[in-house]
Amino acid sequence: MWKWLHRYAKAEKSYELAGKLMPWFLVLALITFVVGVIWGLAFAPADYQQGDSFRIIYIHVPAAMMAMAAYSTMAIAAFIGLVWQIRLADMTVAATAPVGAVYTFIALFTGAAWGKPMWGTWWVWDARLTSELILLFVYLGIIALYNAFSDKVLAGRAASILTLVGVINLPIIHFSVVWWNTLHQGATITKFDKPSMATEMLIPLLIMIVSFLAFLVLMILYRFRNEILQRESHRPWVKELVKNSIMLKLRG
């Protein structure tokens, strides 16, 4: 059933597949971003309590969700890499970490900008905010650990181990508003039986989540291809690829 996946264990095949998928995710990210931003900023009604300040939700919530999605992707890849010794899984961890760190920073920054008018302060040591900050530090630690080794095989293994250690923070982030008394609001869009948002506010938010997800995948694929080229630079197919690229530039 899963034999069709075996061919993508080869770096060359995965590189080609990522290249084919990238344009599709780019188009999806652009279309949904334009639609979501225009709908959310221009047509969604103002919140009856927060006024127009609530509109930062269209950046903050998708960024926070993608920060956790990126780490979940890393954790799955790390597990696969350590158990089945697949090098491409280690490359996925290395490729995803910087992207996840940027999303986490955006979530923290927009959360602070949102908290100032709502809570009267840029930062509080709230359970959700603190655990999100820890996530950023874990991301940075994984990036630093990976770059600390000249042997990228060993670097990938070390980064994967740290990734699996840090995965304990994900349920803490998700359930922090339930487990502790926190200023951060509880679940909103995940309450599908009775969402806490009006439909005209919820739909553009869902569109923005799709946009951020598509862009996340796009950036992971882009960095994944770069990671393959760096790690496989001694392979004949990479040398041929570089040679063809140089020839095309000279002809252009």
Side-chain angles (χ1 to χ4, degrees):
M1 178 179 177
W2 298 101
K3 287 184 178 180
W4 64 274
L5 282 173
H6 293 176
R7 63 197 301 259
Y8 295 111
K10 295 182 179 180
E12 183 178 1
K13 294 299 181 182
S14 291
Y15 181 88
E16 293 175 357
L17 177 62
K20 293 177 181 178
L21 292 175
M22 284 175 62
W24 295 98
F25 283 103
L26 175 60
V27 171
L28 178 61
L30 288 175
I31 293 175
T32 50
F33 184 80
V34 171
V35 173
V37 166
I38 294 176
W39 193 338
L41 298 184
F43 296 100
D47 185 78
Y48 77 100
Q49 287 183 321
Q50 302 180 32
D52 287 325
S53 298
F54 97 97
R55 298 186 193 279
I56 202 169
I57 194 177
Y58 297 115
I59 301 296
H60 174 71
V61 170
M65 293 179 69
M66 293 312 111
M68 296 182 65
Y71 201 93
S72 299
T73 301
M74 290 171 56
I76 294 171
F79 180 80
I80 292 173
L82 291 173
V83 173
W84 286 285
Q85 303 294 305
I86 299 176
R87 293 184 304 113
L88 292 177
D90 294 340
M91 297 183 196
T92 301
V93 173
T96 306
V99 185
V102 171
Y103 270 112
T104 307
F105 176 79
I106 293 173
L108 288 169
F109 180 81
T110 53
W114 195 3
K116 178 61 176 176
M118 294 301 103
W119 301 339
T121 181
W122 294 99
W123 181 266
V124 292
W125 291 102
D126 177 269
R128 171 65 63 84
L129 273 65
T130 303
S131 54
E132 190 78 15
L133 180 62
I134 292 173
L135 179 63
L136 177 60
F137 290 152
V138 173
Y139 270 126
L140 296 178
I142 293 170
I143 296 169
L145 182 62
Y146 182 78
N147 291 308
F149 293 86
S150 57
D151 183 349
K152 291 308 176 185
V153 175
L154 182 59
R157 301 288 168 79
S160 294
I161 293 172
L162 181 56
T163 297
L164 292 178
V165 172
V167 79
I168 188 63
N169 192 44
L170 293 187
I172 294 176
I173 294 173
H174 183 71
F175 293 107
S176 57
V177 294
V178 177
W179 292 344
W180 293 286
N181 183 21
T182 171
L183 291 175
H184 199 285
Q185 69 184 62
T188 301
I189 62 174
T190 55
K191 296 163 59 179
F192 289 112
D193 56 334
K194 189 178 180 182
S196 301
M197 293 183 66
T199 304
E200 56 268 29
M201 296 178 180
L202 179 61
I203 293 177
L205 177 57
L206 294 177
I207 293 173
M208 288 298 292
I209 291 172
V210 172
S211 176
F212 273 57
L213 176 59
F215 190 73
L216 171 67
V217 176
L218 175 65
M219 288 294 97
I220 292 175
L221 291 175
Y222 176 80
R223 288 188 48 80
F224 178 68
R225 278 163 60 91
N226 287 342
E227 194 68 29
I228 289 177
L229 291 180
Q230 292 176 14
R231 296 271 291 269
E232 302 288 309
S233 58
H234 61 288
R235 301 289 184 183
W237 71 269
V238 175
K239 294 179 180 179
E240 185 66 22
L241 184 68
V242 173
K243 179 182 176 181
N244 292 337
S245 178
I246 293 174
M247 291 299 294
L248 286 174
K249 289 182 179 179
L250 291 176
R251 290 174 183 175

